[in-house]
Amino acid sequence: MADIKFYTNPMSRGQIVRWMLEEVGQSYDTEVLDYASSMKSEAYAKINPMMKVPAIVHRGKVVTECAGIIAYLADAFPEADLAPRDDEKADYYRWLFFAAGPIEQAVTNKSAGFEPTAEKGRMFGYGNFDLAVNTLADHLAAHTYVCGDRFTAADVYVGSQVMWGTQFATLPALQPFLDYGARLSSRDAYQRGKQIDGKLIAELQAAAS
Ligand SMILES: N[C@@H](CCC(=O)N[C@@H](CS)C(=O)NCC(=O)O)C(=O)O
């Protein structure tokens, strides 16, 4: 049994954590949960009372929230060299939280058909969709990775948001997003994660047909 237990569904944000687990290079056990049944079971509610995936358990501690899991794994396995160095911390925390807060909210609200009025924008952490999205795009246009020249764990989260968003058109296909996505998707760990989840998706589809 591996030290890390990973609860996921291959068609979920769990893909983000899968990529990070592959970057970290530690062994982990995967438990695939079904949206309608095992994710809503009493047993899983004890792990994540939100009854959502992903979640990990490591050394008896539960971590949920993709961005939280990614930052946790980067710290727990320093040998992977994905946690920020001192001079990277400002960018690392700033953009990790920006992607998990304002960007995620801007995208999900817009996808759900809701956009705050200009006046109400003051109440929303992201202000308005275009402002939040262009702020991130401007940073990525000027930097190879979130923290500059070096890939860090923040890129797993920010990159996932960007790649997912441009692929499903919930984010505009801005050139800085496309270029950044191309840099990240050529990583071996990203490709391995995709392959594992792709195989799991195929198995689930075969079992359902
Ligand atoms: N804030 C959470 C969001 C997790 C989340 O919404 N997961 C979705 C799948 S992508 C889920 O489990 N949905 C099932 C449900 O709510 O019933 C994170 O970042 O991990």
Side-chain angles (χ1 to χ4, degrees), residues 44 66 136 145 147 170 185 189-190:
Y44 187 62
C66 288
L136 179 62
Y145 297 109
C147 297
T170 54
S185 61
Y190 175 84

Side-chain angles (χ1 to χ4, degrees), residues 16-171:
I16 306 174
V17 170
R18 170 88 64 196
W19 175 14
M20 182 63 185
L21 286 163
E22 292 297 319
E23 289 283 353
V24 159
Q26 299 290 316
S27 60
Y28 59 94
D29 293 326
T30 300
E31 186 163 330
V32 173
L33 301 179
D34 177 83
Y35 277 103
S37 55
S38 44
M39 214 184 286
K40 306 301 171 208
S41 68
E42 269 181 51
Y44 187 62
K46 287 188 183 128
I47 290 159
N48 185 0
M50 291 292 287
M51 293 180 278
K52 282 177 172 286
V53 289
I56 63 160
V57 179
H58 180 229
R59 297 187 184 136
K61 296 277 188 193
V62 175
V63 192
T64 66
E65 308 313 307
C66 288
I69 297 170
I70 278 160
Y72 173 84
L73 289 172
D75 287 346
F77 301 101
E79 58 275 29
D81 205 14
L82 295 169
R85 297 171 185 165
D86 278 349
D87 64 341
E88 293 169 337
K89 284 183 178 167
D91 284 329
Y92 181 91
Y93 290 114
R94 176 182 178 188
W95 296 105
L96 184 60
F97 281 79
F98 190 76
I103 291 292
E104 160 101 11
Q105 286 158 22
V107 166
T108 49
N109 278 353
K110 189 169 185 192
S111 304
F114 171 78
E115 280 192 84
T117 60
E119 197 181 293
K120 286 266 181 338
R122 289 182 193 162
M123 287 168 49
F124 289 80
Y126 64 92
N128 66 64
F129 181 86
D130 288 343
L131 181 60
V133 166
N134 288 329
T135 298
L136 179 62
D138 286 349
H139 181 73
L140 296 175
H143 300 85
T144 309
Y145 297 109
V146 163
C147 297
D149 293 336
R150 194 177 78 90
F151 176 88
T152 65
D155 293 296
V156 175
Y157 188 78
V158 175
S160 295
Q161 290 275 18
V162 164
M163 285 190 275
W164 185 275
T166 50
Q167 187 183 346
F168 293 101
T170 54
L171 281 176

